[in-house]
Amino acid sequence: MKRWKKGITAGVLLGTLGLLAACGGGDKASAKNGGDSGDTTLTVTTWNYDTTPEFNKLFRAFEEKNPGVKVEAVDIASDDYDTKLTTMLSSGDTTDILTMKNLLSYSTYALRDQLVDLTDHIDGLETEPAKESYEMYEIDGKNYAQPYRTDFWVLYYNKKMFDEAGLEYPNNLTWEEYEALAKQLSKPDEQIYGAYQHTWRSTLQAISAAQNDKNLAKPDYKFLVDDYKRMLRMQDEKAQMDFGTAKSTNVTYQSQFENEKAAMMYMGTWYMGALLTNLDEGKTNVEWGIAEIPQKEKGEAIKTFGSPTAFAINKNSKQQELAQKFLDFCSGEEGAEILAGVGVVPSYRTDEINKLYFGREGMPTDEVSQKAFDPEKIAIEFPIDENGPAIDKILQEEHELILVGDVTPEKAVGEMKKRVEQEIE
């Protein structure tokens, strides 16, 4: 990937990260020896396995290349993933391979000495096509994971809903234009909205930080006020589903978009693979496209945010050699070809891989989509910081208080600043 705004430094990473909240454990699969099948079973933590197609594709391809090996998912609900994985590791869990969902949790596990140091091994690999993604995982010159995908956020839209409303497809929108379109496309009496914004704090805070050149680990959050006011205004105008409803009913972004309940939705490029798979399987008929995520000003350089995803080896794994073989397969050219073929953006990128990615049947190939796939700047979703997990928790709590109407954006950003300053003292 190009033009990543890096938020990782060795000095910052040396601190001990706060503990993530712990609750529950993963649903562990069968024994390592594969039971009566005679296969060797390699276990991998995943989230939302049934709706995340690249896991199955990578697992089956590795099995085909390695007869006698069975790759089995230890699946965890997406929203609970990091807290449950933290609990599993603290109790000595021996799952072989751990999927690093984000950089923040990765650094936590690495600094607790729960991951195998892969530095020397990686030095002998061809990593140039994924160089910047690998650099994001460096901690004081060492690396404990191998990235296999690198995502960023774009705007998804429903072509049919735009056609029926007689509106042009989105292209280089400002946030003001986005809000106006959402109002025009909404049919609140039918529970159909012009836009859907998921409940994660990143859907507002990370985008705002990227477009304002801010660092969420620094206690200065006034830049968030205007974006929160827009979101509250859109909720009041019924231009998008209100946060309270989405949160209390556990609405999924996939159901909103694929069941044609939302005309626009900004989400990560990872969603393309799942969407294409569901279209192939007849689970949805949505006619879709992508455009650049809305910007503050018309015609300015496209700024968005994103994050890599990686596999790491559990230090308690009894099959580290086989696990390493799996990591090399997934993070290298072979894995990249598989990921590109299902519409997932691999970390390992070459011209040939890019052609394969856009050659996938059903992938939008128009000029606007191509431009959306090549933003000028991709900022790290949440820069790694020794106080990262605690800051993340504070920001999420205040995010929710704003959107359920308990506090004003102005008061909330003041509380964010105060609480974060106390945390980092």
Side-chain angles (χ1 to χ4, degrees):
M1 298 299 295
K2 298 179 180 179
R3 297 173 296 276
W4 281 82
K5 180 185 178 186
K6 297 188 179 114
I8 304 174
T9 63
V12 167
L13 289 170
L14 286 174
T16 302
L17 297 179
L19 293 177
L20 296 172
C23 64
D27 295 322
K28 194 69 178 285
S30 66
K32 296 283 185 182
N33 62 11
D36 297 332
S37 67
D39 290 340
T40 298
T41 300
L42 196 63
T43 49
V44 185
T45 61
T46 63
W47 60 86
N48 295 357
Y49 180 86
D50 291 337
T51 56
T52 310
E54 72 269 19
F55 288 133
N56 181 62
K57 294 291 186 181
L58 289 171
F59 293 3
R60 303 294 81 82
F62 185 75
E63 289 173 346
E64 184 175 349
K65 188 175 180 180
N66 297 274
V69 175
K70 178 178 174 58
V71 183
E72 199 163 75
V74 178
D75 199 38
I76 303 169
S78 180
D79 289 344
D80 298 331
Y81 184 78
D82 286 319
T83 53
K84 289 194 175 182
L85 185 54
T86 297
T87 302
M88 290 165 62
L89 292 177
S90 66
S91 63
D93 185 90
T94 58
T95 299
D96 299 301
I97 296 160
L98 310 171
T99 309
M100 299 291 101
K101 195 175 183 183
N102 55 60
L103 292 167
L104 188 61
S105 56
Y106 158 73
S107 61
T108 303
Y109 309 134
L111 290 171
R112 289 181 188 160
D113 198 29
Q114 293 172 321
L115 308 178
V116 173
D117 182 353
L118 307 177
T119 310
D120 291 341
H121 179 80
I122 290 172
D123 286 344
L125 299 177
E126 172 52 51
T127 59
E128 186 63 29
K131 180 181 178 181
E132 291 196 352
S133 293
Y134 271 95
E135 288 174 349
M136 294 174 203
Y137 287 92
E138 288 183 5
I139 300 178
D140 194 29
K142 294 184 177 296
N143 195 305
Y144 303 86
Q146 292 176 224
Y148 67 94
R149 59 182 291 174
T150 303
D151 293 287
F152 53 91
W153 283 52
V154 297
L155 180 68
Y156 294 80
Y157 65 92
N158 183 311
K159 292 182 176 181
K160 180 181 176 183
M161 294 174 76
F162 271 84
D163 291 341
E164 290 177 346
L167 297 171
E168 292 184 2
Y169 298 151
N171 179 12
N172 192 27
L173 297 178
T174 63
W175 287 110
E176 185 177 354
E177 291 170 333
Y178 168 80
E179 181 179 354
L181 277 175
K183 287 172 64 177
Q184 290 177 271
L185 290 159
S186 283
K187 301 176 183 178
D189 292 342
E190 301 175 36
Q191 295 186 320
I192 294 174
Y193 300 93
Y196 176 71
Q197 184 168 337
H198 200 46
T199 56
W200 303 326
R201 64 156 190 81
S202 58
T203 62
L204 187 144
Q205 294 178 3
I207 291 170
S208 185
Q211 296 185 351
N212 286 282
D213 296 317
K214 297 292 186 178
N215 182 338
L216 289 171
K218 305 297 183 184
D220 173 17
Y221 304 106
K222 290 181 181 179
F223 67 92
L224 296 172
V225 171
D226 287 345
D227 292 316
Y228 273 115
K229 286 183 174 179
R230 181 187 68 248
M231 187 172 177
L232 290 170
R233 191 166 58 242
M234 290 179 70
Q235 289 183 166
D236 291 341
E237 295 167 343
K238 308 295 184 185
Q240 68 182 38
M241 177 184 287
D242 69 275
F243 175 88
T245 299
K247 187 76 173 179
S248 63
T249 58
N250 294 316
V251 168
T252 67
Y253 62 83
Q254 286 182 297
S255 66
Q256 285 300 109
F257 191 72
E258 293 176 24
N259 293 335
E260 301 189 270
K261 296 293 185 181
M264 296 182 291
M265 177 183 75
Y266 45 92
M267 188 55 60
T269 50
W270 68 77
Y271 178 46
M272 293 187 202
L275 179 53
L276 289 168
T277 297
N278 288 342
L279 284 163
D280 290 344
E281 296 177 356
K283 295 178 180 178
T284 180
N285 294 312
V286 65
E287 299 173 24
W288 66 289
I290 62 169
E292 309 100 321
I293 202 162
Q295 302 293 306
K296 294 176 64 179
E297 301 291 340
K298 197 72 173 178
E300 67 181 3
I302 302 303
K303 299 177 182 179
T304 185
F305 80 97
S307 181
T309 307
F311 289 122
I313 301 173
N314 184 356
K315 226 174 180 182
N316 290 327
S317 168
K318 307 302 181 186
Q319 302 181 117
Q320 293 185 14
E321 184 176 344
L322 182 59
Q324 183 64 75
K325 193 174 182 180
F326 176 85
L327 265 62
D328 292 347
F329 175 82
C330 294
S331 63
E333 185 174 8
E334 291 176 289
E337 289 175 352
I338 293 166
L339 293 167
V342 296
V344 171
V345 185
S347 297
Y348 188 102
R349 295 273 295 279
T350 62
D351 289 343
E352 291 73 20
I353 295 296
N354 287 342
K355 288 177 184 177
L356 181 61
Y357 181 85
F358 280 103
R360 203 279 198 204
E361 185 177 354
M363 183 68 69
T365 57
D366 59 277
E367 185 178 346
V368 173
S369 297
Q370 295 280 346
K371 186 178 179 183
F373 203 72
D374 190 30
E376 281 80 6
K377 174 180 157 186
I378 306 171
I380 296 295
E381 178 176 352
F382 190 92
I384 296 177
D385 187 275
E386 61 181 350
N387 300 297
I391 295 172
D392 179 50
K393 184 173 185 292
I394 290 168
L395 298 182
Q396 179 65 38
E397 289 172 351
E398 297 296 335
H399 172 76
E400 296 185 5
L401 289 173
I402 295 171
L403 296 181
V404 297
D406 283 357
V407 297
T408 65
E410 292 87 351
K411 183 176 180 181
V413 299
E415 283 297 306
M416 289 178 194
K417 182 178 187 295
K418 178 181 176 181
R419 294 176 63 189
V420 171
E421 285 177 338
Q422 291 173 343
E423 188 64 42
I424 64 180
E425 284 180 353

